[in-house]
Amino acid sequence: MRDGTGGTIPAIAARMTATALPARAAGGAWSAEIRSTVSLAWPIALTNLSQMAMGITDAAMLGNYDPVALAASAIGLALYWTFAIAGLGLAFGTAPLMAQALGRRRHAVRDVRRSARMGLWATAGFALPASLMLWHAEAILLLLGQEPPIAALGGVYVRTLLPGLLPFWWFMVLRSFVSALERPKPALVATMIAIPLNGLLDWLFIFGRFGLPELGIVGAGIASAASMTAMMAMLLGVCVTDRQFRRYALLGRLWRLDRDRMAELLRVSLPIVGALLFEVMVFNAAVLLVGWIDAVSVAAHAIAIQCASLTFMVPMGISQAATVRVGLAAGARDREGVARAGWTALGLAGGFMSAMALVFVLTPGPIVALFLDPALPQAEEVAALGARLLRVAGLFQVVDGLQVVGAGALRGLKDTRVPMLFAGLGYWVLGLPVGALLAFGAGFGALGIWLGLAFGLAIVAGLLVVRWSRREALGIGGVG
């Protein structure tokens, strides 16, 4: 039987089927990538949120014990995390190395073990100078203009946190390992167990329960350090006993320095350290700038930044998943897989943060009210300014998500140096100066600083997404 064009109907059907199959296959590949990214990202995002919950627990306990101790812990933590972020960047640098090795499959066990071992070495090597600096936290805080009583208490708090610094970094290296194998749930379970443990130890040591000495802020530091050590020990136990993980023998030849792998790790991870420091320190600088305005601005800023930090944990988890998914495809030299992994992660982050932006823009008042007692002095002023800042946070939700996922996707291709330069340009050359100009030159106050942050985030996001879209033209990642 023929149609009017002279072709047989079976032949036409065959051509239509042949045309439809690639499209169907492509659609299936994208659906599979979305499922893989979501299944990897949600435990990572929950782990990020759980780690935030530990800090919130400390703050809540200290707030009920002594407001001065709470203020000192906040100041001390800001300094502590400036150094902790650096080690975190070293741990993040292991993820693309391990993911690409697993994508190649050839010598994967050996290469993954080498990368994990050098991650443990690198963080251990940085722990000594970081600890020496943080041991003098009180002097540093005094140099930064903090009041002597607050600086003294903050310094004591930081010293008690130090035993947990290296265990936390090792936990992050092990977390990169289990994530590269697309099994991030053990890290989530370890963190979820650490939350109530941290709360219990806070209660015991801060307030001196069951005959224990009342240690106040020192007790909070001991509880956090012990909880971080327990987290690492739990995850390490899984890594050396689980059937899939133990074949990598992560602790095998732990004493052996691998110079070539260490050099590669530092080449990839040091720019990650730089980019993280640029981002963290610009928000710390924003706090200082807001502090020059008035107490109402500081309180409103604290509420808005807490909300923005909470939503940020989700795209951060997607970013870490993107590093793994892109790295696996790059290691397999799958150009289309690389594209799917990166664009899927960007789409998921953009969609989630768009929803959060609507929430912040449409309902800022009720959100701010959750953080305030209306009976407190100046609560109405704080609520009004906090709502305005939260609307600005809504404006930068999408670009904040895109910038962190863009960096994560490029990290999967071991492309870290240029993204670091983008961060320096966007946050420090453009964002912060514009914010200061709007705040103090144009009289916008805290709102101006937040507009400057939004501008800087938008610049970084735009540059990273453009670089991702032009990765093949730029020869990034060596996928052939």
Side-chain angles (χ1 to χ4, degrees):
M1 185 179 295
R2 292 178 176 270
D3 70 333
T5 63
T8 64
I9 290 180
I12 294 170
R15 288 197 298 269
M16 291 176 64
T17 302
T19 303
L21 282 176
R24 190 179 305 157
W30 281 96
S31 298
E33 184 60 46
I34 292 171
R35 288 194 298 272
S36 296
T37 302
V38 170
S39 65
L40 179 58
W42 76 259
I44 298 175
L46 276 181
T47 305
N48 294 338
L49 289 166
S50 298
Q51 289 171 334
M52 278 192 70
M54 291 176 64
I56 293 170
T57 301
D58 286 348
M61 291 282 189
L62 284 173
N64 281 281
Y65 177 76
D66 178 13
V68 175
L70 174 60
S73 71
I75 295 296
L77 272 178
L79 178 62
Y80 176 86
W81 277 107
T82 300
F83 287 85
I85 283 293
L88 198 61
L90 294 172
F92 282 173
T94 62
L97 272 62
M98 290 188 277
Q100 289 201 15
L102 291 165
R104 287 192 300 270
R105 295 184 181 174
R106 187 165 55 90
H107 309 308
V109 170
R110 185 191 67 184
D111 283 349
V112 167
R113 180 171 60 245
R114 292 169 64 199
S115 297
R117 187 171 71 231
M118 289 305 96
L120 297 174
W121 270 66
T123 48
F126 184 61
L128 180 59
S131 297
L132 287 174
M133 290 291 292
L134 288 172
W135 189 258
H136 300 285
E138 179 181 355
I140 296 172
L141 292 173
L142 288 172
L143 287 174
L144 293 174
Q146 300 302 313
E147 296 179 4
I150 296 292
L153 268 181
V156 169
Y157 181 58
V158 170
R159 286 187 177 187
T160 58
L161 286 173
L162 285 181
L165 183 62
L166 183 57
F168 171 68
W169 287 342
W170 280 3
F171 172 81
M172 295 307 297
V173 173
L174 297 173
R175 182 181 164 188
S176 292
F177 166 67
V178 297
S179 297
L181 289 168
E182 299 187 277
R183 285 191 54 193
K185 290 182 183 177
L188 172 61
V189 172
T191 310
M192 294 295 288
I193 294 173
I195 294 172
L197 174 63
N198 183 63
L200 174 62
L201 294 177
D202 272 337
W203 183 69
L204 290 173
F205 291 127
I206 292 174
F207 299 98
R209 307 298 186 185
F210 294 106
L212 293 172
E214 182 181 327
L215 300 176
I217 194 171
V218 172
I222 292 172
S224 293
S227 299
M228 286 187 279
T229 303
M231 257 188 344
M232 186 275 294
M234 285 186 282
L235 187 54
L236 179 61
V238 174
C239 290
V240 299
T241 58
D242 180 271
R243 185 174 62 180
Q244 182 182 357
F245 296 148
R246 71 187 180 198
R247 63 190 291 261
Y248 290 88
L250 291 186
L251 301 183
R253 298 184 179 181
L254 186 60
W255 62 89
R256 182 179 176 183
L257 173 63
D258 187 332
R259 289 183 175 83
D260 291 339
R261 187 53 53 92
M262 179 65 81
E264 184 181 14
L265 173 62
L266 294 178
R267 180 181 62 81
V268 172
S269 63
L270 288 180
I272 299 175
V273 172
L276 290 174
L277 287 175
F278 279 141
E279 184 171 358
V280 169
M281 292 177 70
V282 79
F283 280 93
N284 287 344
V287 174
L288 294 176
L289 290 178
V290 171
W292 293 349
I293 300 171
D294 54 38
V296 168
S297 297
V298 173
H301 173 87
I303 293 171
I305 202 68
Q306 185 71 25
C307 295
S309 298
L310 191 66
T311 59
F312 179 74
M313 291 299 105
V314 174
M316 184 177 178
I318 297 172
S319 170
Q320 291 165 289
T323 298
V324 171
R325 295 296 302 166
V326 170
L328 289 169
R333 306 191 73 78
D334 180 0
R335 180 182 285 115
E336 292 182 358
V338 166
R340 276 196 303 272
W343 289 119
T344 295
L346 286 165
L348 289 171
F352 175 81
M353 293 301 261
S354 294
M356 294 301 99
L358 286 175
V359 172
F360 283 2
V361 170
L362 297 178
T363 61
I367 295 173
V368 172
L370 295 173
F371 295 84
L372 286 173
D373 180 350
L376 292 176
Q378 298 182 305
E380 187 175 344
E381 296 176 59
V382 173
L385 179 56
R388 290 199 294 273
L389 297 185
L390 208 54
R391 286 193 179 95
V392 178
L395 294 178
F396 73 58
Q397 286 291 285
V398 176
V399 293
D400 202 12
L402 293 180
Q403 66 85 17
V404 70
V405 173
L410 290 168
R411 200 174 294 159
L413 297 174
K414 302 181 185 176
D415 179 35
T416 56
R417 187 179 63 85
V418 172
M420 177 193 69
L421 298 177
F422 288 165
L425 172 67
Y427 300 140
W428 287 93
V429 177
L430 298 174
L432 194 64
V434 167
L437 183 63
L438 290 174
F440 302 106
F444 280 39
L447 187 63
I449 293 170
W450 275 68
L451 289 170
L453 291 175
F455 175 65
L457 286 167
I459 293 295
V460 175
L463 291 171
L464 289 171
V465 172
V466 168
R467 185 167 179 82
W468 171 257
S469 68
R470 299 189 65 237
R471 65 195 177 281
E472 292 188 6
L474 295 170
I476 297 169
V479 180

